[in-house]
Amino acid sequence: MDMRQLPEHKFSKINNYTPVLDIKEKPVRSFFKPSRIRKKEMSFSSVPEREAVKHFTKLSEKNYHIDKGMYPLGSCTMKYNTKVAEDIANLRGLSNLHPQMPEKEIQGTLKIMFELGEFLKEISGMEAITLQAEAGSHGELTGLLIIKAYFDLKKENRKIVLIPDTAHGTNPASSIRAGFKTKEIKSNRDGILDPANLEKVINDQVAALMITNPNTLGIFEYNIMEIAEILHHHGALLYMDGANLNALLGISKAGDFGVDLIHFNLHKTFATPHGGGGPGSGPLAVKKYLSEFLPVPTIEFDGKKYKLNWKLKHSIGKISSFFGAFSVLVKAYTYIRILSADGLRTASEQATINSNYLLTHLKENYDIPYEKSCMHEFVISASRFKKSGIRALDIAKSLLDMGIHAPTIYFPLIVPEAMMIEPTETESKESLDDFINAMRKIAKQAEENPNSLQNSPRNTPVGRLDEVKANRELNVKW
Ligand SMILES: *Cc1c(COP(=O)(O)O)cnc(C)c1O
């Protein structure tokens, strides 16, 4: 039948619902000064919704993420994050708040932030806190600015921040940004700092030592108390990079082993997914004697009401707009409330057990630079395959072909052909075994058929990139 012969329907019911214009129609341009109106129409490309959805769904399938599989990226704590934390952060009462609402109308919100601060203080053994910093590195900068303000007030001209050779690159970067000079300290044969090495470099120019504990080799700095004593004896402070806190929850407290300032990476340890530049949060906790230096406002509770305190005597000022990354704070709060104290400790214990399980099973096929059991992460070396032309990079890329995200490679810098592996507590034994099998298979191939690894990855949307060219001839236009 010819469709054109069908009677035309008028849809009077639907039409009844279409509102009728009841004022005089005026063209939009009549509301603007002629000088404000474009001479030429803008050309918008137009894509139907269906095509846009197809496009973005296809793109999302090319991506790899923690919800898809294991992500053993050492130092970064890529753990699975429970979705209930997202649900809570998305509650309309929380996500629709205006940051400038008056204190008395956001008592519940202030309570969440205040209690989160109390939890983090208890976890770290510290005495005062700011939640404003929006990344670990931002927490570092906040801490270093506080250290600077502290010595400025004391009229002590201390310009140097000591940084171990295992440190993350953000530590020296933040130090320089805050106006300090940095000096590296070498770790000893056990992969940790030796108090004797500290004694050699410490003097009255040193403002602080930044230490990561457990360090990026996954080893606990067990001389930490002696290190703190040496620093304090010379009037310097101990800053702890808390990015590796996933190993210590409920087990040991930074405040107890002499730390003066510590930042947390809520997006690593406390349930916010990260990567791709998503929102982070790096609260900074300090000992009481530094509390008056914190950014304003801090959140206080007088037993009845929650209040913003803008009157800190030596505050370094504001370091973020409003309260920082509020949704991340809500997720961390939810996570801590769900796990409670015992659950937090179990998470750290399980993370450490998982990591030791992998280390034990990979010992045969890879070199272990430090003969110790590890904490929540460990470093292996791929040096033994160099003679057949295979490097850590080839191994990492081959893992991608097996559907597993690569570990961190070539970091820390002191281990040649380093591969830094952190499974976290959220991987099952099955997925740990899959990882072990994949790593063993690759080791075998590296010895028997190295050519087969050299051009990997082959099954990913993008193949092997020329990383040197990408670095030297950076082109971010697209
Ligand atoms: C991730 C990390 C940092 C930096 O934290 P961001 O939140 O990425 O700024 C600093 N130190 C260590 C050891 C880290 O793993």
Side-chain angles (χ1 to χ4, degrees):
M1 191 203 274
D2 184 347
M3 296 292 274
R4 280 167 301 183
Q5 287 170 9
L6 285 173
E8 194 183 324
H9 289 285
K10 288 277 189 264
F11 292 130
S12 59
K13 277 190 189 152
I14 294 177
N15 273 343
N16 279 349
Y17 283 93
T18 310
V20 186
L21 185 69
D22 57 1
I23 53 166
K24 209 170 150 242
E25 199 170 324
K26 267 171 104 178
V28 174
R29 58 173 52 231
S30 68
F31 292 96
F32 297 94
K33 284 188 197 159
S35 64
R36 291 277 173 207
I37 295 174
R38 294 180 178 281
K39 302 280 174 303
K40 256 171 75 185
E41 243 181 71
M42 267 195 44
S43 85
F44 283 115
S45 56
S46 110
V47 181
E49 179 174 317
R50 166 86 180 114
E51 296 307 314
V53 168
K54 275 200 311 198
H55 172 71
F56 285 109
T57 305
K58 273 188 201 146
L59 276 185
S60 76
E61 284 165 359
K62 291 185 178 190
N63 201 3
Y64 190 89
H65 44 88
I66 190 73
D67 289 352
K68 208 166 179 175
M70 187 172 172
Y71 212 125
L73 202 62
S75 195
C76 291
T77 310
M78 298 290 281
K79 58 165 95 170
Y80 172 78
N81 297 292
T82 142
K83 298 295 173 260
V84 68
E86 298 288 334
D87 291 344
I88 303 289
N90 276 325
L91 288 176
R92 276 185 54 198
L94 295 173
S95 61
N96 286 355
L97 282 174
H98 192 283
Q100 282 182 314
M101 278 171 75
E103 262 169 58
K104 66 176 186 331
E105 288 175 29
I106 51 163
Q107 285 293 304
T109 315
L110 294 177
K111 180 174 188 225
I112 291 174
M113 290 191 281
F114 176 81
E115 289 186 355
L116 173 64
E118 294 301 297
F119 297 162
L120 294 174
K121 275 155 57 181
E122 186 163 47
I123 286 168
S124 60
M126 305 301 278
E127 293 159 329
I129 193 161
T130 173
L131 305 174
Q132 271 182 42
E134 297 188 56
S137 42
H138 198 195
E140 291 170 27
L141 179 66
T142 309
L144 288 152
L145 290 174
I146 289 177
I147 294 173
K148 191 153 186 293
Y150 170 74
F151 286 119
D152 281 352
L153 188 74
K154 290 177 69 166
K155 301 211 167 19
E156 286 182 38
N157 184 23
R158 293 177 181 252
K159 279 271 168 282
I160 295 169
V161 173
L162 301 174
I163 301 187
D165 53 4
T166 48
H168 192 279
T170 52
N171 292 183
S174 310
S175 305
I176 303 276
R177 188 75 184 79
F180 291 103
K181 290 196 176 92
T182 60
K183 189 163 182 171
E184 188 179 277
I185 313 191
K186 297 235 170 305
S187 303
N188 64 15
R189 256 180 292 144
D190 295 331
I192 57 172
L193 277 196
D194 204 323
N197 277 352
L198 176 61
E199 289 278 17
K200 275 186 219 147
V201 289
I202 187 113
N203 56 36
D204 62 3
Q205 293 284 298
V206 173
L209 165 72
M210 287 183 99
I211 201 165
T212 308
N213 201 13
N215 66 24
T216 62
L217 294 166
I219 305 175
F220 191 81
E221 295 275 358
Y222 63 80
N223 296 319
I224 189 85
M225 290 184 83
E226 212 180 324
I227 287 170
E229 269 165 34
I230 296 172
L231 288 161
H232 293 154
H233 179 73
H234 286 84
L237 309 187
L238 179 56
Y239 183 99
M240 179 165 140
D241 177 333
N244 289 343
L245 210 65
N246 211 40
L248 300 186
L249 302 173
I251 297 169
S252 70
K253 296 185 179 186
D256 292 351
F257 49 69
V259 168
D260 298 286
L261 312 91
I262 175 175
H263 80 254
F264 308 82
N265 298 57
L266 298 187
H267 47 292
K268 292 180 182 175
T269 319
F270 299 99
T272 286
H274 71 289
S281 178
L284 176 87
V286 298
K287 286 276 169 69
K288 192 153 194 243
Y289 75 97
L290 293 172
S291 62
E292 291 287 316
F293 292 87
L294 287 172
V296 281
T298 49
I299 300 165
E300 283 169 17
F301 183 52
D302 65 8
K304 283 203 192 103
K305 277 192 297 217
Y306 296 91
K307 285 194 197 148
L308 298 179
N309 181 3
W310 292 87
K311 293 199 187 105
L312 298 183
K313 212 159 151 210
H314 309 299
S315 174
I316 58 163
K318 270 193 86 54
I319 44 124
S320 275
S321 52
F322 307 114
F323 302 104
F326 178 64
S327 69
V328 180
L329 304 181
V330 177
K331 287 180 227 181
Y333 179 76
T334 308
Y335 181 74
I336 295 172
R337 290 284 304 267
I338 291 173
L339 286 186
S340 78
D342 287 347
L344 290 173
R345 186 179 170 115
T346 308
S348 282
E349 288 172 349
Q350 194 61 47
T352 305
I353 290 169
N354 284 359
S355 169
N356 279 286
Y357 181 75
L358 290 189
L359 175 64
T360 308
H361 284 86
L362 294 177
K363 261 185 182 160
E364 234 173 83
N365 303 83
Y366 294 86
D367 298 318
I368 310 295
Y370 298 96
E371 278 298 333
K372 276 216 160 58
S373 61
C374 59
M375 298 286 289
H376 67 302
E377 67 189 4
F378 60 94
V379 176
I380 57 175
S381 166
S383 293
R384 70 166 73 168
F385 307 114
K386 248 187 156 171
K387 57 181 185 310
S388 44
I390 293 300
R391 307 180 54 218
L393 181 74
D394 301 306
I395 295 170
K397 299 291 184 194
S398 305
L399 275 170
L400 305 184
D401 273 340
M402 298 178 163
I404 299 176
H405 197 281
T408 302
I409 52 173
Y410 300 111
F411 178 72
L413 305 175
I414 54 173
V415 175
E417 300 300 319
M419 305 189 79
M420 182 190 209
I421 299 167
E422 178 179 3
T424 83
E425 72 280 12
T426 59
E427 290 308 318
S428 62
K429 178 161 179 300
E430 287 72 25
S431 85
L432 299 179
D433 287 337
D434 284 348
F435 181 72
I436 293 166
N437 291 337
M439 288 293 282
R440 284 184 173 164
K441 201 169 154 198
I442 293 171
K444 199 156 173 261
Q445 262 173 289
E447 269 160 11
E448 293 168 6
N449 184 10
N451 288 347
S452 66
L453 300 179
Q454 256 150 0
N455 293 317
S456 52
R458 297 191 180 89
N459 310 330
T460 48
V462 178
R464 176 80 65 108
L465 297 173
D466 184 343
E467 293 182 8
V468 176
K469 191 169 153 83
N471 255 313
R472 298 271 156 83
E473 296 168 37
L474 187 67
N475 180 359
V476 289
K477 274 192 247 149
W478 54 286

